[in-house]
Amino acid sequence: MGEKPKSGADFLDRARETMAWDARREELSGRFLEIFRRAYRHSKTYRKRFQNLGIGLSDVQSLEDLEKLPLLTMADLVARQRETWPVGGFETLEPAEFRRIYINSGVIFQPGADWEREDTSWAEALCAAGFRRGDRILNTFSYHMWPFAFMLDESAKRIGATVIPSGVGNTMMQVRIMQMLEVNGFMGTPSFLMTLVQRAETMGVNLDRDLYLETALVSAEMLPESLRERLQKKLGMTIRQAYGTVLLGCIGYECREASGLHIPHNLLVEVVDPNTGKQVPHGTTGEIVATNFNPSFPMIRMATGDLSSVTVDPCPCGRTGPRLRKIIGRIDQATKVKGTFIHPWQADEVVSRYPEVYRYQVVVTREDHNDVMTFMVELKEELSRPERLAGRMERDIKDILTVKGLVRIVPRGTLPDHHQKIDDRRKWD
Ligand SMILES: [Zn+2]
């Protein structure tokens, strides 16, 4: 059991997805200028934001000028929505032209016009995951309030697949439907797929004989590799993930190779230093910022709060655009040490290699104007030569976190019971 290779095209638009990078950049540049000008002319909030910074319509002439524009944070968006009825003035249409108003979590409004039908980013993700015409896909994202299920629904339609709009809940019914309609595709969160599998097992369903699942696109949650492997093995299917937000669309998706997240060709993605808003070099971790080309509610340099880095190494699948490496976490949970983001997730990865460790905490201090990162480690049992373990761990820290760190073995009970994983003790006054 495991992944089943499926024949058929895995591109939505092969010519565009395999376009030479220069040509793609040229195209993105044109689309960026178009959306910038449209926002400037028709959105009162964008115009005001740009004018306040002294940016005139003619100051932006190509992609080279992108960094002149301010980052748009979720906090900005919410604040503007509370001031300017009904959706914050970012829209370029009259409210009467909205076809829907979606309500995202945090009561953030999002107008729907035709972008859900026109945006190709999720359809690109579906093709790359292995979906194709004629597939019967269970869409278990909620169709209430927010747009995500509609976006995937339209995208499945675009590739010629059939959607069963099942939404969340009703797990017993969903398992029955999967059997009766011979459902071979799944869209939803990885945890909901696991819930369905467990439900099927308690119902006495033989996963191999009675279910027909071949392909899943999971999103809206992190997908741990261990969960992917477990599900793929149990179901004999291929599971690919896509990352995105409802305001921006799909930002990255895995292809058959699962070698990072391909950036869809109709989205402009930057990785920036969140303090300066400037792009960081390829391979450096920073905040993901994206600009989409939604003509009615454009998102220009929207900061996602998620951390990743970009690689431009070629992917064996033939797609030529850049890829995001895995999403390593949220910016608000990360700490910067010697100019590099340290995330609790990375510290866990180091420590998970050492079964001897009982628990640990990373302490960041400042000595002689230098950051010092120390892993305080409690062991399950005393070791005769703990310095050997410390030495090996220090090498792994340098490897995984790319920053030098010290390891201090401390007696059991030294760390407080409910401690933060990273304790930043630096004082900046
Ligand atoms: Zn690929």
PDB file of all heavy atoms in Angstrom, residues 7-19 24 120 123-133 158-159 253 255-256 262 265 315-321:
ATOM      1  N   SER A   7      -2.039   8.321 -13.860  1.00  0.00           N
ATOM      2  CA  SER A   7      -1.623   8.862 -15.153  1.00  0.00           C
ATOM      3  C   SER A   7      -2.399  10.146 -15.424  1.00  0.00           C
ATOM      4  O   SER A   7      -3.303  10.506 -14.706  1.00  0.00           O
ATOM      5  CB  SER A   7      -1.890   7.842 -16.239  1.00  0.00           C
ATOM      6  OG  SER A   7      -3.264   7.553 -16.264  1.00  0.00           O
ATOM      7  N   GLY A   8      -2.047  10.824 -16.479  1.00  0.00           N
ATOM      8  CA  GLY A   8      -2.780  12.034 -16.841  1.00  0.00           C
ATOM      9  C   GLY A   8      -1.990  13.272 -16.489  1.00  0.00           C
ATOM     10  O   GLY A   8      -0.994  13.212 -15.795  1.00  0.00           O
ATOM     11  N   ALA A   9      -2.477  14.397 -17.005  1.00  0.00           N
ATOM     12  CA  ALA A   9      -1.759  15.649 -16.849  1.00  0.00           C
ATOM     13  C   ALA A   9      -1.767  16.083 -15.397  1.00  0.00           C
ATOM     14  O   ALA A   9      -2.761  15.913 -14.716  1.00  0.00           O
ATOM     15  CB  ALA A   9      -2.432  16.714 -17.701  1.00  0.00           C
ATOM     16  N   ASP A  10      -0.643  16.618 -14.938  1.00  0.00           N
ATOM     17  CA  ASP A  10      -0.705  17.198 -13.605  1.00  0.00           C
ATOM     18  C   ASP A  10      -0.407  18.692 -13.645  1.00  0.00           C
ATOM     19  O   ASP A  10       0.039  19.268 -12.695  1.00  0.00           O
ATOM     20  CB  ASP A  10       0.177  16.435 -12.607  1.00  0.00           C
ATOM     21  CG  ASP A  10       1.653  16.514 -12.959  1.00  0.00           C
ATOM     22  OD1 ASP A  10       1.960  16.981 -14.072  1.00  0.00           O
ATOM     23  OD2 ASP A  10       2.468  16.124 -12.116  1.00  0.00           O
ATOM     24  N   PHE A  11      -0.691  19.292 -14.791  1.00  0.00           N
ATOM     25  CA  PHE A  11      -0.579  20.747 -14.923  1.00  0.00           C
ATOM     26  C   PHE A  11      -1.950  21.312 -15.281  1.00  0.00           C
ATOM     27  O   PHE A  11      -2.691  20.693 -16.035  1.00  0.00           O
ATOM     28  CB  PHE A  11       0.369  21.114 -16.066  1.00  0.00           C
ATOM     29  CG  PHE A  11       1.811  20.808 -15.771  1.00  0.00           C
ATOM     30  CD1 PHE A  11       2.356  19.571 -16.104  1.00  0.00           C
ATOM     31  CD2 PHE A  11       2.620  21.760 -15.171  1.00  0.00           C
ATOM     32  CE1 PHE A  11       3.683  19.291 -15.837  1.00  0.00           C
ATOM     33  CE2 PHE A  11       3.958  21.478 -14.898  1.00  0.00           C
ATOM     34  CZ  PHE A  11       4.489  20.246 -15.228  1.00  0.00           C
ATOM     35  N   LEU A  12      -2.246  22.485 -14.755  1.00  0.00           N
ATOM     36  CA  LEU A  12      -3.452  23.179 -15.199  1.00  0.00           C
ATOM     37  C   LEU A  12      -3.148  23.849 -16.538  1.00  0.00           C
ATOM     38  O   LEU A  12      -3.958  23.835 -17.458  1.00  0.00           O
ATOM     39  CB  LEU A  12      -3.862  24.236 -14.162  1.00  0.00           C
ATOM     40  CG  LEU A  12      -5.069  25.092 -14.534  1.00  0.00           C
ATOM     41  CD1 LEU A  12      -6.347  24.260 -14.507  1.00  0.00           C
ATOM     42  CD2 LEU A  12      -5.201  26.285 -13.587  1.00  0.00           C
ATOM     43  N   ASP A  13      -1.958  24.454 -16.615  1.00  0.00           N
ATOM     44  CA  ASP A  13      -1.554  25.175 -17.814  1.00  0.00           C
ATOM     45  C   ASP A  13      -0.039  24.988 -17.961  1.00  0.00           C
ATOM     46  O   ASP A  13       0.750  25.777 -17.454  1.00  0.00           O
ATOM     47  CB  ASP A  13      -1.909  26.659 -17.627  1.00  0.00           C
ATOM     48  CG  ASP A  13      -1.603  27.499 -18.861  1.00  0.00           C
ATOM     49  OD1 ASP A  13      -0.792  27.043 -19.693  1.00  0.00           O
ATOM     50  OD2 ASP A  13      -2.163  28.598 -18.974  1.00  0.00           O
ATOM     51  N   ARG A  14       0.334  23.899 -18.610  1.00  0.00           N
ATOM     52  CA  ARG A  14       1.738  23.502 -18.651  1.00  0.00           C
ATOM     53  C   ARG A  14       2.638  24.626 -19.181  1.00  0.00           C
ATOM     54  O   ARG A  14       3.690  24.900 -18.623  1.00  0.00           O
ATOM     55  CB  ARG A  14       1.914  22.248 -19.520  1.00  0.00           C
ATOM     56  CG  ARG A  14       3.351  21.736 -19.560  1.00  0.00           C
ATOM     57  CD  ARG A  14       3.498  20.578 -20.531  1.00  0.00           C
ATOM     58  NE  ARG A  14       2.837  19.381 -20.047  1.00  0.00           N
ATOM     59  CZ  ARG A  14       3.448  18.438 -19.330  1.00  0.00           C
ATOM     60  NH1 ARG A  14       4.718  18.567 -19.028  1.00  0.00           N
ATOM     61  NH2 ARG A  14       2.791  17.378 -18.931  1.00  0.00           N
ATOM     62  N   ALA A  15       2.183  25.312 -20.230  1.00  0.00           N
ATOM     63  CA  ALA A  15       3.036  26.340 -20.838  1.00  0.00           C
ATOM     64  C   ALA A  15       3.387  27.427 -19.817  1.00  0.00           C
ATOM     65  O   ALA A  15       4.532  27.860 -19.712  1.00  0.00           O
ATOM     66  CB  ALA A  15       2.334  26.949 -22.042  1.00  0.00           C
ATOM     67  N   ARG A  16       2.389  27.836 -19.046  1.00  0.00           N
ATOM     68  CA  ARG A  16       2.655  28.914 -18.084  1.00  0.00           C
ATOM     69  C   ARG A  16       3.446  28.419 -16.881  1.00  0.00           C
ATOM     70  O   ARG A  16       4.305  29.111 -16.353  1.00  0.00           O
ATOM     71  CB  ARG A  16       1.349  29.517 -17.600  1.00  0.00           C
ATOM     72  CG  ARG A  16       0.644  30.292 -18.682  1.00  0.00           C
ATOM     73  CD  ARG A  16      -0.588  30.902 -18.131  1.00  0.00           C
ATOM     74  NE  ARG A  16      -0.347  32.289 -17.752  1.00  0.00           N
ATOM     75  CZ  ARG A  16      -1.325  33.148 -17.574  1.00  0.00           C
ATOM     76  NH1 ARG A  16      -2.579  32.765 -17.708  1.00  0.00           N
ATOM     77  NH2 ARG A  16      -1.055  34.381 -17.225  1.00  0.00           N
ATOM     78  N   GLU A  17       3.137  27.207 -16.447  1.00  0.00           N
ATOM     79  CA  GLU A  17       3.800  26.701 -15.244  1.00  0.00           C
ATOM     80  C   GLU A  17       5.257  26.316 -15.497  1.00  0.00           C
ATOM     81  O   GLU A  17       6.032  26.177 -14.558  1.00  0.00           O
ATOM     82  CB  GLU A  17       3.003  25.527 -14.663  1.00  0.00           C
ATOM     83  CG  GLU A  17       1.665  25.986 -14.060  1.00  0.00           C
ATOM     84  CD  GLU A  17       0.701  24.842 -13.793  1.00  0.00           C
ATOM     85  OE1 GLU A  17       1.094  23.888 -13.108  1.00  0.00           O
ATOM     86  OE2 GLU A  17      -0.451  24.910 -14.280  1.00  0.00           O
ATOM     87  N   THR A  18       5.595  26.124 -16.766  1.00  0.00           N
ATOM     88  CA  THR A  18       6.985  25.761 -17.076  1.00  0.00           C
ATOM     89  C   THR A  18       7.693  26.883 -17.846  1.00  0.00           C
ATOM     90  O   THR A  18       8.737  26.678 -18.453  1.00  0.00           O
ATOM     91  CB  THR A  18       7.044  24.466 -17.915  1.00  0.00           C
ATOM     92  OG1 THR A  18       6.292  24.678 -19.115  1.00  0.00           O
ATOM     93  CG2 THR A  18       6.461  23.279 -17.181  1.00  0.00           C
ATOM     94  N   MET A  19       7.097  28.053 -17.804  1.00  0.00           N
ATOM     95  CA  MET A  19       7.640  29.227 -18.489  1.00  0.00           C
ATOM     96  C   MET A  19       9.017  29.591 -17.931  1.00  0.00           C
ATOM     97  O   MET A  19       9.255  29.446 -16.734  1.00  0.00           O
ATOM     98  CB  MET A  19       6.672  30.364 -18.141  1.00  0.00           C
ATOM     99  CG  MET A  19       6.658  31.552 -19.009  1.00  0.00           C
ATOM    100  SD  MET A  19       5.439  32.696 -18.252  1.00  0.00           S
ATOM    101  CE  MET A  19       4.374  32.968 -19.629  1.00  0.00           C
ATOM    102  N   ARG A  24       8.274  34.796 -16.981  1.00  0.00           N
ATOM    103  CA  ARG A  24       7.269  34.812 -15.920  1.00  0.00           C
ATOM    104  C   ARG A  24       7.349  36.119 -15.119  1.00  0.00           C
ATOM    105  O   ARG A  24       6.341  36.720 -14.767  1.00  0.00           O
ATOM    106  CB  ARG A  24       7.504  33.613 -14.990  1.00  0.00           C
ATOM    107  CG  ARG A  24       6.612  33.573 -13.776  1.00  0.00           C
ATOM    108  CD  ARG A  24       6.429  32.140 -13.340  1.00  0.00           C
ATOM    109  NE  ARG A  24       6.117  32.030 -11.930  1.00  0.00           N
ATOM    110  CZ  ARG A  24       5.562  30.960 -11.378  1.00  0.00           C
ATOM    111  NH1 ARG A  24       5.246  29.927 -12.126  1.00  0.00           N
ATOM    112  NH2 ARG A  24       5.313  30.917 -10.109  1.00  0.00           N
ATOM    113  N   THR A 120      -6.986  31.104 -10.594  1.00  0.00           N
ATOM    114  CA  THR A 120      -6.587  29.752 -10.996  1.00  0.00           C
ATOM    115  C   THR A 120      -5.663  29.073  -9.991  1.00  0.00           C
ATOM    116  O   THR A 120      -5.255  27.933 -10.197  1.00  0.00           O
ATOM    117  CB  THR A 120      -5.838  29.807 -12.349  1.00  0.00           C
ATOM    118  OG1 THR A 120      -4.773  30.764 -12.225  1.00  0.00           O
ATOM    119  CG2 THR A 120      -6.746  30.216 -13.482  1.00  0.00           C
ATOM    120  N   ALA A 123      -6.843  25.744  -8.530  1.00  0.00           N
ATOM    121  CA  ALA A 123      -6.971  24.725  -9.582  1.00  0.00           C
ATOM    122  C   ALA A 123      -5.592  24.185  -9.953  1.00  0.00           C
ATOM    123  O   ALA A 123      -5.415  22.988 -10.208  1.00  0.00           O
ATOM    124  CB  ALA A 123      -7.667  25.313 -10.804  1.00  0.00           C
ATOM    125  N   GLU A 124      -4.602  25.081  -9.953  1.00  0.00           N
ATOM    126  CA  GLU A 124      -3.227  24.660 -10.214  1.00  0.00           C
ATOM    127  C   GLU A 124      -2.790  23.654  -9.139  1.00  0.00           C
ATOM    128  O   GLU A 124      -2.165  22.630  -9.443  1.00  0.00           O
ATOM    129  CB  GLU A 124      -2.336  25.909 -10.153  1.00  0.00           C
ATOM    130  CG  GLU A 124      -1.276  25.983 -11.221  1.00  0.00           C
ATOM    131  CD  GLU A 124      -0.450  27.271 -11.107  1.00  0.00           C
ATOM    132  OE1 GLU A 124      -0.995  28.348 -11.448  1.00  0.00           O
ATOM    133  OE2 GLU A 124       0.712  27.204 -10.691  1.00  0.00           O
ATOM    134  N   ALA A 125      -3.153  23.963  -7.898  1.00  0.00           N
ATOM    135  CA  ALA A 125      -2.819  23.066  -6.780  1.00  0.00           C
ATOM    136  C   ALA A 125      -3.499  21.705  -6.932  1.00  0.00           C
ATOM    137  O   ALA A 125      -2.896  20.659  -6.688  1.00  0.00           O
ATOM    138  CB  ALA A 125      -3.215  23.716  -5.462  1.00  0.00           C
ATOM    139  N   LEU A 126      -4.750  21.721  -7.348  1.00  0.00           N
ATOM    140  CA  LEU A 126      -5.490  20.454  -7.514  1.00  0.00           C
ATOM    141  C   LEU A 126      -4.825  19.584  -8.587  1.00  0.00           C
ATOM    142  O   LEU A 126      -4.658  18.369  -8.403  1.00  0.00           O
ATOM    143  CB  LEU A 126      -6.948  20.722  -7.888  1.00  0.00           C
ATOM    144  CG  LEU A 126      -7.854  21.265  -6.775  1.00  0.00           C
ATOM    145  CD1 LEU A 126      -9.226  21.621  -7.335  1.00  0.00           C
ATOM    146  CD2 LEU A 126      -8.001  20.263  -5.636  1.00  0.00           C
ATOM    147  N   CYS A 127      -4.458  20.208  -9.704  1.00  0.00           N
ATOM    148  CA  CYS A 127      -3.812  19.433 -10.776  1.00  0.00           C
ATOM    149  C   CYS A 127      -2.491  18.855 -10.300  1.00  0.00           C
ATOM    150  O   CYS A 127      -2.184  17.689 -10.547  1.00  0.00           O
ATOM    151  CB  CYS A 127      -3.560  20.316 -11.998  1.00  0.00           C
ATOM    152  SG  CYS A 127      -5.069  20.697 -12.881  1.00  0.00           S
ATOM    153  N   ALA A 128      -1.712  19.698  -9.605  1.00  0.00           N
ATOM    154  CA  ALA A 128      -0.398  19.239  -9.151  1.00  0.00           C
ATOM    155  C   ALA A 128      -0.524  18.084  -8.158  1.00  0.00           C
ATOM    156  O   ALA A 128       0.311  17.192  -8.112  1.00  0.00           O
ATOM    157  CB  ALA A 128       0.360  20.400  -8.520  1.00  0.00           C
ATOM    158  N   ALA A 129      -1.596  18.107  -7.372  1.00  0.00           N
ATOM    159  CA  ALA A 129      -1.803  17.029  -6.391  1.00  0.00           C
ATOM    160  C   ALA A 129      -2.182  15.726  -7.081  1.00  0.00           C
ATOM    161  O   ALA A 129      -2.062  14.650  -6.497  1.00  0.00           O
ATOM    162  CB  ALA A 129      -2.893  17.431  -5.402  1.00  0.00           C
ATOM    163  N   GLY A 130      -2.661  15.829  -8.314  1.00  0.00           N
ATOM    164  CA  GLY A 130      -3.012  14.614  -9.054  1.00  0.00           C
ATOM    165  C   GLY A 130      -4.488  14.487  -9.385  1.00  0.00           C
ATOM    166  O   GLY A 130      -4.924  13.477  -9.929  1.00  0.00           O
ATOM    167  N   PHE A 131      -5.277  15.493  -9.055  1.00  0.00           N
ATOM    168  CA  PHE A 131      -6.698  15.442  -9.426  1.00  0.00           C
ATOM    169  C   PHE A 131      -6.845  15.636 -10.928  1.00  0.00           C
ATOM    170  O   PHE A 131      -6.021  16.295 -11.566  1.00  0.00           O
ATOM    171  CB  PHE A 131      -7.483  16.547  -8.723  1.00  0.00           C
ATOM    172  CG  PHE A 131      -7.680  16.316  -7.256  1.00  0.00           C
ATOM    173  CD1 PHE A 131      -6.879  16.942  -6.323  1.00  0.00           C
ATOM    174  CD2 PHE A 131      -8.667  15.448  -6.813  1.00  0.00           C
ATOM    175  CE1 PHE A 131      -7.049  16.723  -4.960  1.00  0.00           C
ATOM    176  CE2 PHE A 131      -8.849  15.218  -5.457  1.00  0.00           C
ATOM    177  CZ  PHE A 131      -8.038  15.860  -4.525  1.00  0.00           C
ATOM    178  N   ARG A 132      -7.916  15.102 -11.462  1.00  0.00           N
ATOM    179  CA  ARG A 132      -8.151  15.264 -12.899  1.00  0.00           C
ATOM    180  C   ARG A 132      -9.656  15.184 -13.188  1.00  0.00           C
ATOM    181  O   ARG A 132     -10.452  14.892 -12.297  1.00  0.00           O
ATOM    182  CB  ARG A 132      -7.397  14.211 -13.692  1.00  0.00           C
ATOM    183  CG  ARG A 132      -7.810  12.824 -13.266  1.00  0.00           C
ATOM    184  CD  ARG A 132      -6.928  11.748 -13.840  1.00  0.00           C
ATOM    185  NE  ARG A 132      -7.258  10.509 -13.141  1.00  0.00           N
ATOM    186  CZ  ARG A 132      -6.698   9.358 -13.369  1.00  0.00           C
ATOM    187  NH1 ARG A 132      -5.771   9.244 -14.275  1.00  0.00           N
ATOM    188  NH2 ARG A 132      -7.055   8.291 -12.716  1.00  0.00           N
ATOM    189  N   ARG A 133      -9.970  15.453 -14.420  1.00  0.00           N
ATOM    190  CA  ARG A 133     -11.351  15.430 -14.904  1.00  0.00           C
ATOM    191  C   ARG A 133     -12.041  14.133 -14.483  1.00  0.00           C
ATOM    192  O   ARG A 133     -11.453  13.063 -14.562  1.00  0.00           O
ATOM    193  CB  ARG A 133     -11.317  15.553 -16.427  1.00  0.00           C
ATOM    194  CG  ARG A 133     -12.606  15.255 -17.164  1.00  0.00           C
ATOM    195  CD  ARG A 133     -12.458  15.575 -18.639  1.00  0.00           C
ATOM    196  NE  ARG A 133     -12.425  17.025 -18.834  1.00  0.00           N
ATOM    197  CZ  ARG A 133     -13.517  17.786 -18.879  1.00  0.00           C
ATOM    198  NH1 ARG A 133     -14.713  17.263 -18.767  1.00  0.00           N
ATOM    199  NH2 ARG A 133     -13.421  19.084 -19.045  1.00  0.00           N
ATOM    200  N   ARG A 158     -13.326  23.910 -12.521  1.00  0.00           N
ATOM    201  CA  ARG A 158     -12.417  24.336 -13.584  1.00  0.00           C
ATOM    202  C   ARG A 158     -11.635  23.161 -14.172  1.00  0.00           C
ATOM    203  O   ARG A 158     -11.357  23.126 -15.370  1.00  0.00           O
ATOM    204  CB  ARG A 158     -11.448  25.387 -13.029  1.00  0.00           C
ATOM    205  CG  ARG A 158     -10.424  25.901 -14.005  1.00  0.00           C
ATOM    206  CD  ARG A 158      -9.525  26.927 -13.336  1.00  0.00           C
ATOM    207  NE  ARG A 158     -10.198  28.209 -13.174  1.00  0.00           N
ATOM    208  CZ  ARG A 158     -10.204  29.170 -14.102  1.00  0.00           C
ATOM    209  NH1 ARG A 158      -9.574  29.003 -15.238  1.00  0.00           N
ATOM    210  NH2 ARG A 158     -10.826  30.300 -13.887  1.00  0.00           N
ATOM    211  N   ILE A 159     -11.271  22.189 -13.332  1.00  0.00           N
ATOM    212  CA  ILE A 159     -10.498  21.060 -13.873  1.00  0.00           C
ATOM    213  C   ILE A 159     -11.400  19.910 -14.328  1.00  0.00           C
ATOM    214  O   ILE A 159     -10.920  18.862 -14.744  1.00  0.00           O
ATOM    215  CB  ILE A 159      -9.441  20.546 -12.866  1.00  0.00           C
ATOM    216  CG1 ILE A 159     -10.086  19.867 -11.655  1.00  0.00           C
ATOM    217  CG2 ILE A 159      -8.515  21.656 -12.412  1.00  0.00           C
ATOM    218  CD1 ILE A 159      -9.094  19.039 -10.847  1.00  0.00           C
ATOM    219  N   TYR A 253       1.763  25.189  -3.224  1.00  0.00           N
ATOM    220  CA  TYR A 253       1.178  23.854  -3.255  1.00  0.00           C
ATOM    221  C   TYR A 253       2.245  22.832  -3.593  1.00  0.00           C
ATOM    222  O   TYR A 253       3.228  23.137  -4.270  1.00  0.00           O
ATOM    223  CB  TYR A 253       0.027  23.775  -4.270  1.00  0.00           C
ATOM    224  CG  TYR A 253       0.447  24.103  -5.682  1.00  0.00           C
ATOM    225  CD1 TYR A 253       1.044  23.141  -6.495  1.00  0.00           C
ATOM    226  CD2 TYR A 253       0.281  25.380  -6.197  1.00  0.00           C
ATOM    227  CE1 TYR A 253       1.456  23.441  -7.786  1.00  0.00           C
ATOM    228  CE2 TYR A 253       0.699  25.692  -7.490  1.00  0.00           C
ATOM    229  CZ  TYR A 253       1.281  24.729  -8.269  1.00  0.00           C
ATOM    230  OH  TYR A 253       1.708  25.019  -9.540  1.00  0.00           O
ATOM    231  N   CYS A 255       3.669  19.481  -5.465  1.00  0.00           N
ATOM    232  CA  CYS A 255       3.459  18.668  -6.665  1.00  0.00           C
ATOM    233  C   CYS A 255       3.673  17.212  -6.278  1.00  0.00           C
ATOM    234  O   CYS A 255       3.804  16.886  -5.102  1.00  0.00           O
ATOM    235  CB  CYS A 255       4.421  19.107  -7.758  1.00  0.00           C
ATOM    236  SG  CYS A 255       6.136  18.757  -7.326  1.00  0.00           S
ATOM    237  N   ARG A 256       3.755  16.338  -7.250  1.00  0.00           N
ATOM    238  CA  ARG A 256       3.990  14.919  -6.988  1.00  0.00           C
ATOM    239  C   ARG A 256       5.264  14.685  -6.178  1.00  0.00           C
ATOM    240  O   ARG A 256       5.355  13.743  -5.420  1.00  0.00           O
ATOM    241  CB  ARG A 256       4.104  14.146  -8.311  1.00  0.00           C
ATOM    242  CG  ARG A 256       3.007  14.405  -9.303  1.00  0.00           C
ATOM    243  CD  ARG A 256       1.712  13.758  -8.926  1.00  0.00           C
ATOM    244  NE  ARG A 256       1.860  12.308  -8.839  1.00  0.00           N
ATOM    245  CZ  ARG A 256       0.928  11.512  -8.333  1.00  0.00           C
ATOM    246  NH1 ARG A 256      -0.188  12.032  -7.865  1.00  0.00           N
ATOM    247  NH2 ARG A 256       1.098  10.223  -8.296  1.00  0.00           N
ATOM    248  N   HIS A 262       5.136  24.965  -4.450  1.00  0.00           N
ATOM    249  CA  HIS A 262       5.222  25.770  -5.670  1.00  0.00           C
ATOM    250  C   HIS A 262       4.313  26.991  -5.539  1.00  0.00           C
ATOM    251  O   HIS A 262       3.162  26.871  -5.123  1.00  0.00           O
ATOM    252  CB  HIS A 262       4.737  24.956  -6.874  1.00  0.00           C
ATOM    253  CG  HIS A 262       5.726  23.949  -7.361  1.00  0.00           C
ATOM    254  ND1 HIS A 262       6.826  24.291  -8.104  1.00  0.00           N
ATOM    255  CD2 HIS A 262       5.780  22.604  -7.217  1.00  0.00           C
ATOM    256  CE1 HIS A 262       7.512  23.202  -8.408  1.00  0.00           C
ATOM    257  NE2 HIS A 262       6.909  22.164  -7.867  1.00  0.00           N
ATOM    258  N   HIS A 265       1.262  30.602 -10.514  1.00  0.00           N
ATOM    259  CA  HIS A 265       1.812  31.596 -11.436  1.00  0.00           C
ATOM    260  C   HIS A 265       1.060  32.925 -11.408  1.00  0.00           C
ATOM    261  O   HIS A 265       1.551  33.915 -11.919  1.00  0.00           O
ATOM    262  CB  HIS A 265       1.919  31.030 -12.865  1.00  0.00           C
ATOM    263  CG  HIS A 265       0.616  30.951 -13.580  1.00  0.00           C
ATOM    264  ND1 HIS A 265      -0.096  29.794 -13.690  1.00  0.00           N
ATOM    265  CD2 HIS A 265      -0.104  31.905 -14.203  1.00  0.00           C
ATOM    266  CE1 HIS A 265      -1.200  30.050 -14.366  1.00  0.00           C
ATOM    267  NE2 HIS A 265      -1.229  31.306 -14.682  1.00  0.00           N
ATOM    268  N   CYS A 315      12.668  21.947  -9.883  1.00  0.00           N
ATOM    269  CA  CYS A 315      11.937  20.802  -9.341  1.00  0.00           C
ATOM    270  C   CYS A 315      11.806  19.764 -10.456  1.00  0.00           C
ATOM    271  O   CYS A 315      11.533  20.119 -11.606  1.00  0.00           O
ATOM    272  CB  CYS A 315      10.554  21.249  -8.871  1.00  0.00           C
ATOM    273  SG  CYS A 315       9.594  19.906  -8.141  1.00  0.00           S
ATOM    274  N   PRO A 316      11.994  18.483 -10.140  1.00  0.00           N
ATOM    275  CA  PRO A 316      11.907  17.446 -11.180  1.00  0.00           C
ATOM    276  C   PRO A 316      10.548  17.421 -11.908  1.00  0.00           C
ATOM    277  O   PRO A 316      10.455  16.869 -13.003  1.00  0.00           O
ATOM    278  CB  PRO A 316      12.099  16.137 -10.399  1.00  0.00           C
ATOM    279  CG  PRO A 316      12.776  16.531  -9.133  1.00  0.00           C
ATOM    280  CD  PRO A 316      12.347  17.928  -8.825  1.00  0.00           C
ATOM    281  N   CYS A 317       9.510  18.040 -11.332  1.00  0.00           N
ATOM    282  CA  CYS A 317       8.204  18.009 -11.997  1.00  0.00           C
ATOM    283  C   CYS A 317       8.182  18.896 -13.235  1.00  0.00           C
ATOM    284  O   CYS A 317       7.268  18.798 -14.045  1.00  0.00           O
ATOM    285  CB  CYS A 317       7.109  18.444 -11.034  1.00  0.00           C
ATOM    286  SG  CYS A 317       7.095  20.218 -10.709  1.00  0.00           S
ATOM    287  N   GLY A 318       9.155  19.799 -13.363  1.00  0.00           N
ATOM    288  CA  GLY A 318       9.220  20.643 -14.554  1.00  0.00           C
ATOM    289  C   GLY A 318       8.715  22.064 -14.343  1.00  0.00           C
ATOM    290  O   GLY A 318       8.897  22.919 -15.197  1.00  0.00           O
ATOM    291  N   ARG A 319       8.062  22.317 -13.208  1.00  0.00           N
ATOM    292  CA  ARG A 319       7.616  23.691 -12.952  1.00  0.00           C
ATOM    293  C   ARG A 319       8.864  24.546 -12.708  1.00  0.00           C
ATOM    294  O   ARG A 319       9.803  24.112 -12.045  1.00  0.00           O
ATOM    295  CB  ARG A 319       6.688  23.736 -11.728  1.00  0.00           C
ATOM    296  CG  ARG A 319       5.320  23.149 -12.022  1.00  0.00           C
ATOM    297  CD  ARG A 319       4.421  23.143 -10.788  1.00  0.00           C
ATOM    298  NE  ARG A 319       3.120  22.584 -11.147  1.00  0.00           N
ATOM    299  CZ  ARG A 319       2.894  21.276 -11.268  1.00  0.00           C
ATOM    300  NH1 ARG A 319       3.866  20.415 -11.038  1.00  0.00           N
ATOM    301  NH2 ARG A 319       1.704  20.848 -11.620  1.00  0.00           N
ATOM    302  N   THR A 320       8.821  25.766 -13.222  1.00  0.00           N
ATOM    303  CA  THR A 320      10.030  26.579 -13.205  1.00  0.00           C
ATOM    304  C   THR A 320      10.015  27.682 -12.153  1.00  0.00           C
ATOM    305  O   THR A 320      11.039  28.298 -11.893  1.00  0.00           O
ATOM    306  CB  THR A 320      10.220  27.234 -14.585  1.00  0.00           C
ATOM    307  OG1 THR A 320       8.962  27.730 -15.007  1.00  0.00           O
ATOM    308  CG2 THR A 320      10.771  26.251 -15.575  1.00  0.00           C
ATOM    309  N   GLY A 321       8.861  27.960 -11.590  1.00  0.00           N
ATOM    310  CA  GLY A 321       8.775  29.070 -10.648  1.00  0.00           C
ATOM    311  C   GLY A 321       9.446  28.750  -9.329  1.00  0.00           C
ATOM    312  O   GLY A 321       9.877  27.628  -9.084  1.00  0.00           O
TER     313      GLY A 321
END
